[in-house]
Amino acid sequence: ITTGKLAASEAISEGRIDELEEKIHSSVTAHVQGKISSFTNGMDEQMVDRIKNVEGALKEKITESMDGAVAGMGGWKLPFFFLLFLMLIGAFLLYKWYEKLKKTHML
């Protein structure tokens, strides 16, 4: 065997090794990219689920607090009519006082 044949055989072997390395590299890269994308999708779904849970709990608490606030607030009609009644009584009493002053000729 001559050195020329060994060099040619070595060049062919190097070419094959380079091809195999390239195939392995592309295969590993594709596999890693697939794992990363599936992990990312899983994390996105988990985050969406967690956000939905937090949103639901927050809506429930807001609804409970609003219901409690509305129930404790009472109505506006009763105080309104009470104040109206007091104003009518005051107007009536002022009118009677005015009539009394007219009778005593002070006005």
Side-chain angles (χ1 to χ4, degrees):
I1 298 183
T2 64
T3 57
K5 286 184 180 181
L6 283 176
S9 176
E10 183 181 347
I12 292 172
S13 295
E14 285 292 325
R16 287 183 189 165
I17 290 173
D18 288 341
E19 287 177 14
L20 287 173
E21 282 180 352
E22 197 171 307
K23 284 181 183 180
I24 290 172
H25 178 67
S26 64
S27 173
V28 168
T29 303
H31 179 72
V32 168
Q33 288 295 331
K35 288 289 186 181
I36 289 173
S37 66
S38 68
F39 179 73
T40 304
N41 289 339
M43 290 297 289
D44 287 344
E45 290 173 6
Q46 287 177 355
M47 291 300 290
V48 167
D49 289 342
R50 188 171 284 171
I51 288 171
K52 284 182 182 179
N53 289 339
V54 168
E55 182 181 5
L58 203 59
K59 280 184 181 180
E60 184 178 324
K61 286 187 179 193
I62 289 173
T63 303
E64 287 176 5
S65 66
M66 289 299 290
D67 289 344
V70 170
M73 212 186 311
W76 60 271
K77 294 177 185 174
L78 184 63
F80 175 77
F81 287 121
F82 179 71
L83 289 174
L84 181 66
F85 180 70
L86 286 178
M87 288 175 61
L88 289 174
I89 289 175
F92 178 74
L93 291 175
L94 279 174
Y95 178 73
K96 285 296 183 182
W97 180 70
Y98 174 74
E99 289 291 319
K100 183 179 173 187
L101 283 178
K102 268 176 69 174
K103 285 182 184 177
T104 60
H105 299 289
M106 295 194 106
L107 287 179

XYZ file of all heavy atoms in Angstrom:
839
model
N 0.861 -1.165 0.000
C 0.000 0.000 0.000
C 0.912 1.234 0.000
O 1.862 1.308 0.769
C -0.914 0.007 1.219
C -1.802 -1.216 1.168
C -1.696 1.272 1.295
C -2.792 -1.304 2.273
N 0.516 2.126 -0.816
C 1.338 3.309 -0.959
C 0.758 4.451 -0.160
O -0.413 4.426 0.262
C 1.446 3.715 -2.427
O 0.169 4.079 -2.890
C 2.045 2.616 -3.265
N 1.557 5.427 0.028
C 1.098 6.593 0.787
C 0.032 7.375 0.035
O -0.844 7.996 0.632
C 2.280 7.536 1.103
O 2.897 7.916 -0.097
C 3.242 6.882 2.042
N 0.036 7.325 -1.244
C -0.977 8.005 -2.065
C -2.340 7.374 -1.861
O -3.360 8.059 -1.733
N -2.358 6.020 -1.832
C -3.630 5.331 -1.622
C -4.139 5.590 -0.208
O -5.344 5.764 0.010
C -3.454 3.829 -1.844
C -3.302 3.434 -3.276
C -3.223 1.932 -3.393
C -3.073 1.501 -4.833
N -3.023 0.045 -4.943
N -3.219 5.613 0.758
C -3.614 5.901 2.143
C -4.173 7.317 2.265
O -5.162 7.556 2.961
C -2.427 5.725 3.092
C -2.055 4.298 3.451
C -0.803 4.282 4.304
C -3.194 3.631 4.195
N -3.565 8.252 1.589
C -4.035 9.640 1.631
C -5.406 9.744 0.987
O -6.300 10.451 1.485
C -3.040 10.556 0.934
N -5.640 9.035 -0.117
C -6.941 9.069 -0.787
C -7.991 8.420 0.097
O -9.124 8.919 0.233
C -6.852 8.361 -2.131
N -7.631 7.286 0.700
C -8.558 6.597 1.598
C -8.880 7.474 2.811
O -10.017 7.536 3.275
C -7.936 5.265 2.035
O -8.761 4.628 2.961
N -7.872 8.164 3.303
C -8.075 9.054 4.453
C -8.993 10.208 4.068
O -9.871 10.597 4.832
C -6.723 9.592 4.927
C -6.841 10.465 6.153
C -5.489 11.009 6.587
O -4.446 10.535 6.109
O -5.500 11.933 7.406
N -8.837 10.748 2.883
C -9.680 11.847 2.420
C -11.127 11.381 2.287
O -12.074 12.094 2.661
C -9.161 12.388 1.094
N -11.324 10.175 1.748
C -12.680 9.625 1.619
C -13.293 9.424 3.003
O -14.445 9.765 3.254
C -12.653 8.311 0.806
C -12.287 8.586 -0.662
C -13.990 7.601 0.883
C -12.043 7.332 -1.493
N -12.493 8.885 3.931
C -12.978 8.649 5.295
C -13.325 9.972 5.985
O -14.333 10.086 6.690
C -11.923 7.896 6.111
O -11.719 6.609 5.588
N -12.480 10.977 5.782
C -12.754 12.298 6.367
C -14.056 12.866 5.813
O -14.850 13.467 6.541
C -11.598 13.264 6.077
C -10.350 13.034 6.895
C -10.544 13.352 8.358
O -11.297 14.302 8.697
O -9.963 12.631 9.181
N -14.303 12.673 4.533
C -15.539 13.142 3.913
C -16.749 12.453 4.521
O -17.772 13.078 4.806
N -16.633 11.132 4.705
C -17.737 10.389 5.327
C -17.961 10.856 6.767
O -19.097 11.002 7.225
C -17.437 8.892 5.308
C -17.558 8.263 3.953
C -17.306 6.785 4.065
N -17.215 6.171 2.748
C -16.726 4.976 2.520
N -16.251 4.256 3.525
N -16.684 4.484 1.310
N -16.856 11.032 7.491
C -16.978 11.483 8.887
C -17.645 12.852 8.934
O -18.517 13.100 9.779
C -15.591 11.500 9.563
C -15.094 10.069 9.780
C -15.633 12.241 10.890
C -13.667 9.957 10.274
N -17.261 13.749 8.029
C -17.889 15.079 7.991
C -19.387 14.973 7.704
O -20.205 15.669 8.316
C -17.204 15.959 6.941
C -15.809 16.410 7.375
O -15.532 16.343 8.595
O -15.028 16.820 6.493
N -19.772 14.089 6.772
C -21.191 13.889 6.460
C -21.939 13.354 7.676
O -23.049 13.810 7.990
C -21.339 12.921 5.286
C -20.966 13.484 3.944
C -21.063 12.439 2.829
O -21.672 11.364 3.066
O -20.542 12.700 1.730
N -21.350 12.363 8.355
C -21.990 11.801 9.545
C -22.122 12.847 10.649
O -23.160 12.940 11.319
C -21.204 10.584 10.052
C -21.321 9.313 9.225
C -20.363 8.240 9.750
C -22.747 8.792 9.277
N -21.059 13.628 10.853
C -21.122 14.684 11.863
C -22.235 15.683 11.527
O -22.971 16.128 12.403
C -19.780 15.412 11.939
C -18.720 14.667 12.701
C -17.396 15.421 12.753
O -17.258 16.474 12.065
O -16.505 14.957 13.464
N -22.351 16.026 10.258
C -23.385 16.975 9.848
C -24.780 16.388 10.063
O -25.690 17.075 10.549
C -23.179 17.335 8.376
C -23.932 18.590 7.967
C -23.525 19.029 6.574
O -22.321 19.180 6.319
O -24.455 19.218 5.765
N -24.987 15.101 9.734
C -26.289 14.449 9.952
C -26.616 14.402 11.446
O -27.738 14.688 11.855
C -26.282 13.038 9.376
C -26.403 12.963 7.893
C -26.418 11.521 7.419
C -26.468 11.420 5.903
N -26.477 10.013 5.463
N -25.629 14.019 12.252
C -25.851 13.940 13.706
C -26.161 15.329 14.262
O -27.082 15.498 15.071
C -24.626 13.314 14.407
C -24.542 11.829 14.055
C -24.711 13.501 15.909
C -23.276 11.153 14.537
N -25.423 16.323 13.815
C -25.639 17.698 14.277
C -27.053 18.175 13.928
O -27.759 18.737 14.778
C -24.598 18.638 13.669
C -24.776 20.071 14.061
N -24.602 20.510 15.339
C -25.146 21.156 13.321
C -24.842 21.804 15.384
N -25.175 22.225 14.160
N -27.489 17.933 12.704
C -28.834 18.370 12.304
C -29.907 17.586 13.060
O -30.932 18.148 13.459
C -29.025 18.244 10.794
O -28.956 16.882 10.404
N -29.654 16.284 13.277
C -30.621 15.470 14.012
C -30.742 15.941 15.463
O -31.849 16.098 15.993
C -30.193 14.005 13.965
O -31.011 13.219 14.791
N -29.609 16.182 16.100
C -29.616 16.652 17.496
C -30.244 18.040 17.577
O -31.045 18.319 18.483
C -28.181 16.636 18.071
C -28.112 17.380 19.385
C -27.690 15.217 18.247
N -29.927 18.908 16.649
C -30.498 20.261 16.648
C -32.015 20.206 16.499
O -32.742 20.903 17.217
C -29.885 21.095 15.507
O -28.473 21.120 15.667
C -30.418 22.508 15.509
N -32.498 19.386 15.600
C -33.949 19.263 15.407
C -34.603 18.707 16.662
O -35.672 19.190 17.086
C -34.241 18.366 14.212
N -33.983 17.709 17.287
C -34.547 17.111 18.496
C -34.589 18.140 19.635
O -35.597 18.261 20.337
C -33.710 15.893 18.906
C -34.204 15.220 20.148
N -35.363 14.484 20.169
C -33.701 15.182 21.407
C -35.551 14.020 21.384
N -34.559 14.430 22.166
N -33.493 18.879 19.816
C -33.434 19.894 20.873
C -34.449 21.001 20.605
O -35.149 21.459 21.525
C -31.997 20.456 21.000
C -31.967 21.691 21.877
C -31.060 19.396 21.547
N -34.575 21.431 19.357
C -35.554 22.465 19.023
C -36.974 21.980 19.319
O -37.810 22.734 19.817
C -35.430 22.877 17.550
C -34.191 23.684 17.231
C -34.195 25.027 17.927
O -35.235 25.602 18.205
N -32.995 25.509 18.229
N -37.260 20.715 19.002
C -38.581 20.145 19.299
C -38.851 20.122 20.788
O -39.952 20.467 21.246
N -37.852 19.722 21.578
C -38.020 19.694 23.034
C -38.223 21.098 23.586
O -39.080 21.321 24.455
C -36.799 19.049 23.707
C -36.696 17.574 23.510
C -37.765 16.872 24.298
C -37.561 15.371 24.216
N -38.578 14.641 24.933
N -37.452 22.053 23.081
C -37.586 23.436 23.554
C -38.959 23.989 23.213
O -39.611 24.628 24.053
C -36.465 24.318 22.961
C -35.125 23.966 23.599
C -36.777 25.802 23.158
C -33.946 24.667 22.963
N -39.443 23.737 22.004
C -40.760 24.259 21.613
C -41.869 23.590 22.417
O -42.826 24.256 22.824
C -40.993 24.091 20.120
O -41.066 22.723 19.778
N -41.759 22.276 22.671
C -42.801 21.613 23.474
C -42.764 22.125 24.904
O -43.813 22.329 25.537
C -42.633 20.096 23.433
O -41.461 19.693 24.113
N -41.580 22.360 25.445
C -41.461 22.909 26.795
C -42.044 24.313 26.860
O -42.768 24.656 27.798
C -39.986 22.916 27.224
C -39.758 23.479 28.584
C -40.116 22.759 29.714
C -39.187 24.729 28.750
C -39.906 23.275 30.973
C -38.976 25.251 29.996
C -39.333 24.527 31.118
N -41.743 25.119 25.845
C -42.268 26.483 25.800
C -43.790 26.471 25.696
O -44.469 27.238 26.386
C -41.665 27.249 24.605
O -40.252 27.211 24.698
C -42.129 28.681 24.565
N -44.340 25.608 24.843
C -45.794 25.513 24.710
C -46.424 25.064 26.022
O -47.474 25.570 26.420
C -46.172 24.551 23.585
C -45.855 25.102 22.219
O -45.717 26.308 22.051
N -45.709 24.218 21.244
N -45.793 24.100 26.697
C -46.301 23.646 27.993
C -46.288 24.762 29.018
O -47.233 24.933 29.794
N -45.211 25.539 29.023
C -45.118 26.660 29.962
C -46.167 27.721 29.639
O -46.770 28.299 30.540
C -43.712 27.277 29.922
C -42.638 26.406 30.518
S -42.907 26.088 32.268
C -42.547 27.692 32.937
N -46.385 27.981 28.339
C -47.399 28.962 27.947
C -48.777 28.513 28.415
O -49.553 29.316 28.943
C -47.402 29.155 26.429
C -46.190 29.930 25.931
O -45.516 30.562 26.766
O -45.925 29.879 24.713
N -49.092 27.237 28.226
C -50.392 26.722 28.659
C -50.533 26.812 30.174
O -51.599 27.170 30.689
C -50.570 25.280 28.185
C -50.757 25.150 26.689
C -50.770 23.695 26.229
O -50.743 22.797 27.087
O -50.813 23.471 25.007
N -49.457 26.505 30.893
C -49.509 26.597 32.357
C -49.727 28.045 32.792
O -50.509 28.300 33.717
C -48.220 26.069 32.971
C -48.073 24.568 32.921
C -46.734 24.105 33.492
O -45.880 24.911 33.831
N -46.569 22.800 33.584
N -49.058 28.968 32.135
C -49.221 30.379 32.489
C -50.639 30.852 32.183
O -51.237 31.582 32.973
C -48.203 31.247 31.742
C -46.772 31.046 32.189
S -46.529 31.428 33.930
C -46.713 33.181 33.905
N -51.189 30.437 31.059
C -52.554 30.825 30.703
C -53.536 30.254 31.728
O -54.443 30.956 32.195
C -52.904 30.357 29.270
C -54.389 30.465 29.007
C -52.128 31.153 28.245
N -53.342 28.995 32.119
C -54.216 28.393 33.126
C -54.104 29.123 34.456
O -55.107 29.405 35.115
C -53.875 26.909 33.315
C -54.281 26.054 32.136
O -55.114 26.521 31.323
O -53.774 24.916 32.025
N -52.893 29.443 34.845
C -52.686 30.138 36.121
C -53.315 31.519 36.085
O -53.953 31.955 37.050
C -51.196 30.230 36.423
C -50.913 30.762 37.810
C -49.467 30.652 38.167
N -49.179 29.252 38.493
C -47.964 28.787 38.678
N -46.933 29.577 38.554
N -47.776 27.526 38.985
N -53.169 32.223 34.966
C -53.761 33.556 34.838
C -55.285 33.464 34.884
O -55.950 34.288 35.514
C -53.276 34.236 33.539
C -51.808 34.643 33.682
C -54.129 35.446 33.190
C -51.176 35.123 32.405
N -55.859 32.455 34.235
C -57.313 32.279 34.273
C -57.784 32.004 35.695
O -58.825 32.516 36.124
C -57.739 31.144 33.345
C -57.717 31.525 31.885
C -58.193 30.383 31.010
C -58.127 30.756 29.535
N -58.554 29.657 28.668
N -57.037 31.186 36.435
C -57.414 30.901 37.820
C -57.369 32.165 38.672
O -58.282 32.420 39.477
C -56.486 29.835 38.419
C -56.731 28.466 37.832
O -57.791 28.193 37.274
N -55.735 27.593 37.932
N -56.324 32.951 38.517
C -56.201 34.193 39.282
C -57.312 35.162 38.898
O -57.920 35.802 39.761
C -54.804 34.822 39.069
C -54.749 36.234 39.610
C -53.731 33.957 39.706
N -57.608 35.234 37.610
C -58.669 36.126 37.141
C -60.024 35.715 37.720
O -60.794 36.557 38.169
C -58.716 36.102 35.616
C -59.747 37.032 35.014
C -59.775 36.947 33.506
O -59.059 36.107 32.920
O -60.543 37.708 32.904
N -60.294 34.420 37.726
C -61.558 33.935 38.291
C -61.664 34.233 39.770
O -62.715 34.672 40.257
N -60.582 34.005 40.514
C -60.599 34.285 41.953
C -60.782 35.772 42.204
O -61.530 36.176 43.119
C -59.307 33.800 42.597
N -60.146 36.602 41.404
C -60.269 38.044 41.561
C -61.685 38.518 41.263
O -62.246 39.340 42.005
C -59.277 38.736 40.635
C -58.857 40.150 40.985
C -58.221 40.180 42.350
C -57.873 40.661 39.957
N -62.284 37.996 40.193
C -63.670 38.360 39.871
C -64.613 37.956 40.994
O -65.533 38.700 41.354
C -64.105 37.686 38.570
C -63.633 38.379 37.334
C -64.190 37.718 36.086
C -63.704 38.397 34.836
N -64.240 37.768 33.629
N -64.381 36.758 41.560
C -65.232 36.282 42.652
C -65.116 37.192 43.872
O -66.122 37.566 44.470
C -64.822 34.860 43.011
C -65.684 34.222 44.066
C -65.257 32.789 44.346
O -64.842 32.090 43.413
O -65.360 32.390 45.516
N -63.896 37.593 44.220
C -63.713 38.476 45.375
C -64.329 39.845 45.135
O -64.938 40.421 46.035
C -62.234 38.608 45.708
C -61.666 37.385 46.353
C -60.266 37.595 46.829
C -59.776 36.321 47.493
N -58.554 36.536 48.245
N -64.183 40.363 43.918
C -64.773 41.666 43.610
C -66.287 41.595 43.683
O -66.938 42.476 44.232
C -64.298 42.148 42.219
C -62.832 42.547 42.279
C -65.153 43.306 41.719
C -62.232 42.863 40.931
N -66.856 40.503 43.155
C -68.309 40.336 43.208
C -68.796 40.242 44.644
O -69.793 40.879 45.010
C -68.716 39.068 42.425
O -68.228 39.185 41.086
C -70.226 38.904 42.400
N -68.079 39.484 45.477
C -68.466 39.360 46.887
C -68.394 40.703 47.598
O -69.294 41.066 48.348
C -67.566 38.351 47.589
C -67.824 36.921 47.217
C -66.821 35.968 47.868
O -65.996 36.426 48.687
O -66.874 34.770 47.552
N -67.335 41.460 47.355
C -67.204 42.741 48.038
C -68.248 43.740 47.548
O -68.773 44.523 48.331
C -65.794 43.309 47.856
O -65.560 43.622 46.507
N -68.562 43.697 46.245
C -69.598 44.596 45.733
C -70.969 44.237 46.292
O -71.748 45.120 46.632
C -69.622 44.552 44.204
C -68.424 45.204 43.548
S -68.277 46.943 43.936
C -69.662 47.585 43.045
N -71.259 42.934 46.396
C -72.539 42.508 46.962
C -72.651 42.954 48.412
O -73.702 43.421 48.847
C -72.694 40.990 46.852
C -72.910 40.524 45.423
O -73.248 41.374 44.576
O -72.744 39.316 45.165
N -71.565 42.815 49.161
C -71.575 43.250 50.558
C -71.740 44.752 50.679
O -72.446 45.243 51.561
N -71.098 45.504 49.798
C -71.195 46.959 49.853
C -72.598 47.426 49.495
O -73.151 48.324 50.121
C -70.172 47.587 48.919
N -73.187 46.803 48.482
C -74.539 47.179 48.065
C -75.550 46.811 49.138
O -76.468 47.572 49.422
C -74.887 46.516 46.704
C -76.349 46.680 46.378
C -74.034 47.123 45.600
N -75.372 45.642 49.756
C -76.312 45.217 50.792
C -76.219 46.130 52.007
O -77.223 46.440 52.642
C -76.024 43.769 51.194
N -75.026 46.595 52.348
C -74.853 47.470 53.500
C -75.230 48.911 53.217
O -75.404 49.711 54.128
N -75.359 49.257 51.949
C -75.623 50.624 51.582
C -77.070 51.028 51.901
O -77.334 52.149 52.273
C -75.355 50.811 50.090
C -74.857 52.189 49.764
S -74.681 52.508 48.004
C -73.787 51.132 47.394
N -77.972 50.115 51.769
C -79.371 50.448 52.004
C -79.949 51.204 50.827
O -79.359 51.329 49.776
N -81.134 51.779 51.040
C -81.770 52.506 49.954
C -81.605 54.000 50.134
O -81.286 54.502 51.197
N -81.868 54.742 49.095
C -81.789 56.194 49.152
C -83.170 56.800 49.368
O -83.289 57.975 49.726
C -81.185 56.746 47.864
C -81.990 56.396 46.638
C -81.851 55.291 45.885
C -83.063 57.147 46.064
N -82.770 55.291 44.864
C -83.530 56.427 44.943
C -83.679 58.347 46.383
C -84.572 56.879 44.167
C -84.720 58.791 45.596
C -85.156 58.066 44.497
N -84.206 55.989 49.181
C -85.561 56.538 49.233
C -85.984 56.919 50.648
O -86.568 57.981 50.856
C -86.548 55.534 48.638
C -86.346 55.306 47.164
C -87.292 54.257 46.641
C -86.980 53.959 45.185
N -87.766 52.867 44.664
N -85.696 56.067 51.620
C -86.106 56.346 52.997
C -85.468 57.630 53.529
O -86.190 58.499 54.045
C -85.792 55.147 53.894
C -86.266 55.270 55.338
C -87.792 55.360 55.381
C -85.784 54.084 56.145
N -84.158 57.824 53.433
C -83.586 59.092 53.904
C -84.118 60.300 53.126
O -84.331 61.369 53.705
C -82.078 58.933 53.683
C -81.844 57.473 53.589
C -83.102 56.870 53.064
N -84.356 60.123 51.837
C -84.877 61.223 51.038
C -86.260 61.658 51.535
O -86.514 62.849 51.743
C -84.945 60.803 49.563
C -85.573 61.824 48.678
C -84.883 62.952 48.283
C -86.882 61.654 48.236
C -85.465 63.895 47.461
C -87.474 62.595 47.423
C -86.765 63.721 47.034
N -87.152 60.702 51.731
C -88.502 61.050 52.189
C -88.496 61.573 53.618
O -89.285 62.443 53.970
C -89.440 59.848 52.043
C -89.813 59.568 50.617
C -89.528 58.350 50.043
C -90.425 60.536 49.842
C -89.859 58.095 48.724
C -90.764 60.300 48.523
C -90.474 59.067 47.959
N -87.573 61.082 54.444
C -87.463 61.592 55.809
C -87.065 63.066 55.794
O -87.663 63.895 56.489
C -86.451 60.747 56.598
C -86.244 61.218 58.005
C -87.233 61.058 58.950
C -85.052 61.840 58.366
C -87.043 61.503 60.244
C -84.855 62.279 59.644
C -85.850 62.116 60.596
N -86.071 63.405 54.996
C -85.648 64.809 54.907
C -86.737 65.676 54.273
O -86.951 66.819 54.703
C -84.352 64.921 54.102
C -83.100 64.376 54.786
C -81.919 64.419 53.825
C -82.788 65.162 56.036
N -87.439 65.152 53.299
C -88.545 65.893 52.689
C -89.637 66.158 53.720
O -90.169 67.270 53.800
C -89.103 65.102 51.495
C -90.251 65.765 50.739
C -89.768 67.033 50.054
C -90.833 64.797 49.734
N -89.940 65.153 54.525
C -90.945 65.296 55.573
C -90.518 66.368 56.586
O -91.326 67.224 56.982
C -91.161 63.938 56.263
C -92.185 63.955 57.354
C -93.530 64.111 57.062
C -91.805 63.824 58.677
C -94.474 64.130 58.073
C -92.734 63.836 59.686
C -94.078 63.989 59.393
N -89.251 66.358 56.999
C -88.759 67.371 57.933
C -88.841 68.766 57.326
O -89.209 69.735 58.020
C -87.319 67.068 58.337
C -87.108 65.899 59.302
C -85.627 65.710 59.567
C -87.843 66.145 60.609
N -88.540 68.888 56.049
C -88.613 70.196 55.405
C -90.057 70.690 55.312
O -90.329 71.884 55.507
C -87.974 70.130 54.016
C -86.460 70.009 54.057
S -85.691 69.788 52.450
C -86.168 71.249 51.604
N -90.992 69.775 55.031
C -92.409 70.177 54.981
C -92.911 70.629 56.351
O -93.652 71.621 56.454
C -93.262 69.031 54.439
C -93.092 68.728 52.944
C -93.885 67.479 52.581
C -93.543 69.914 52.118
N -92.515 69.901 57.397
C -92.909 70.300 58.762
C -92.317 71.667 59.092
O -93.005 72.538 59.647
C -92.466 69.234 59.785
C -93.316 67.984 59.635
C -92.562 69.769 61.210
C -92.877 66.845 60.505
N -91.043 71.867 58.726
C -90.405 73.166 58.977
C -91.115 74.279 58.229
O -91.327 75.372 58.774
N -91.484 74.047 56.991
C -92.186 75.071 56.204
C -93.551 75.370 56.816
O -93.958 76.544 56.905
C -92.332 74.596 54.762
N -94.244 74.331 57.268
C -95.552 74.527 57.903
C -95.421 75.338 59.183
O -96.196 76.281 59.427
C -96.204 73.165 58.178
C -97.526 73.267 58.867
C -98.652 73.687 58.174
C -97.646 72.968 60.215
C -99.872 73.789 58.809
C -98.861 73.069 60.855
C -99.989 73.485 60.150
N -94.421 75.005 60.009
C -94.220 75.740 61.264
C -93.818 77.188 60.997
O -94.286 78.106 61.707
C -93.167 75.046 62.127
C -93.601 73.699 62.707
C -92.439 73.059 63.442
C -94.796 73.872 63.631
N -92.999 77.441 59.991
C -92.646 78.816 59.642
C -93.873 79.591 59.158
O -94.044 80.776 59.468
C -91.558 78.827 58.572
C -90.136 78.627 59.064
C -89.184 78.522 57.885
C -89.716 79.772 59.968
N -94.730 78.934 58.407
C -95.951 79.591 57.936
C -96.851 79.966 59.113
O -97.385 81.074 59.171
C -96.686 78.677 56.958
C -97.975 79.263 56.463
C -97.979 80.314 55.543
C -99.197 78.783 56.924
C -99.162 80.862 55.104
C -100.390 79.332 56.492
C -100.381 80.370 55.582
O -101.548 80.919 55.160
N -96.992 79.041 60.081
C -97.825 79.330 61.255
C -97.233 80.475 62.079
O -97.952 81.341 62.570
C -97.958 78.075 62.131
C -98.880 77.040 61.568
C -100.279 77.615 61.502
C -101.259 76.593 61.015
N -102.602 77.132 60.901
N -95.909 80.498 62.194
C -95.255 81.568 62.935
C -95.465 82.913 62.225
O -95.723 83.927 62.840
C -93.764 81.225 63.066
C -92.953 82.243 63.803
C -93.001 82.532 65.124
C -91.977 83.116 63.238
N -92.116 83.518 65.438
C -91.464 83.890 64.269
C -91.491 83.309 61.945
C -90.490 84.856 64.079
C -90.505 84.263 61.760
C -90.014 85.023 62.812
N -95.386 82.887 60.893
C -95.617 84.081 60.089
C -97.057 84.581 60.264
O -97.300 85.781 60.426
C -95.313 83.769 58.620
C -95.646 84.889 57.669
C -94.854 86.024 57.597
C -96.767 84.808 56.834
C -95.174 87.043 56.726
C -97.084 85.817 55.965
C -96.284 86.944 55.913
O -96.592 87.963 55.052
N -98.018 83.664 60.258
C -99.423 84.042 60.458
C -99.623 84.666 61.841
O -100.361 85.639 61.986
C -100.315 82.808 60.304
C -100.444 82.297 58.887
C -101.232 83.256 58.005
O -102.238 83.810 58.462
O -100.804 83.429 56.851
N -98.961 84.111 62.845
C -99.082 84.638 64.203
C -98.508 86.060 64.279
O -99.107 86.931 64.930
C -98.328 83.710 65.156
C -98.438 84.097 66.589
C -97.662 83.099 67.459
C -97.623 83.579 68.878
N -96.771 82.768 69.719
N -97.375 86.272 63.602
C -96.804 87.629 63.599
C -97.712 88.606 62.863
O -97.796 89.776 63.251
C -95.413 87.600 62.940
C -94.266 87.065 63.788
C -92.975 87.068 62.981
C -94.080 87.881 65.048
N -98.381 88.153 61.836
C -99.299 89.035 61.102
C -100.474 89.432 61.988
O -100.933 90.563 61.946
C -99.816 88.317 59.840
C -98.976 88.590 58.624
C -99.388 87.825 57.404
C -100.694 88.260 56.859
N -101.039 87.589 55.570
N -100.951 88.476 62.832
C -102.097 88.772 63.676
C -101.723 89.773 64.778
O -102.565 90.527 65.225
C -102.626 87.492 64.318
C -103.393 86.637 63.349
C -103.946 85.398 64.047
C -104.633 84.499 63.054
N -105.125 83.274 63.657
N -100.485 89.724 65.209
C -100.075 90.657 66.253
C -99.587 91.991 65.670
O -99.119 92.840 66.398
C -98.940 90.028 67.113
O -97.846 89.740 66.285
C -99.430 88.803 67.826
N -99.718 92.160 64.401
C -99.399 93.376 63.670
C -97.927 93.766 63.788
O -97.595 94.943 63.817
C -100.284 94.562 64.140
C -101.710 94.301 63.920
N -102.274 94.274 62.676
C -102.731 94.073 64.803
C -103.572 94.017 62.794
N -103.875 93.894 64.076
N -97.099 92.769 63.924
C -95.664 93.090 63.990
C -95.090 93.202 62.571
O -94.064 93.789 62.373
C -94.892 92.042 64.769
C -95.291 92.003 66.227
S -94.128 91.087 67.179
C -93.301 92.388 68.031
N -95.806 92.648 61.609
C -95.344 92.769 60.242
C -96.242 93.678 59.436
O -97.355 93.867 59.529
C -95.302 91.398 59.556
C -94.178 90.507 60.003
C -94.253 89.166 59.264
C -92.823 91.119 59.758
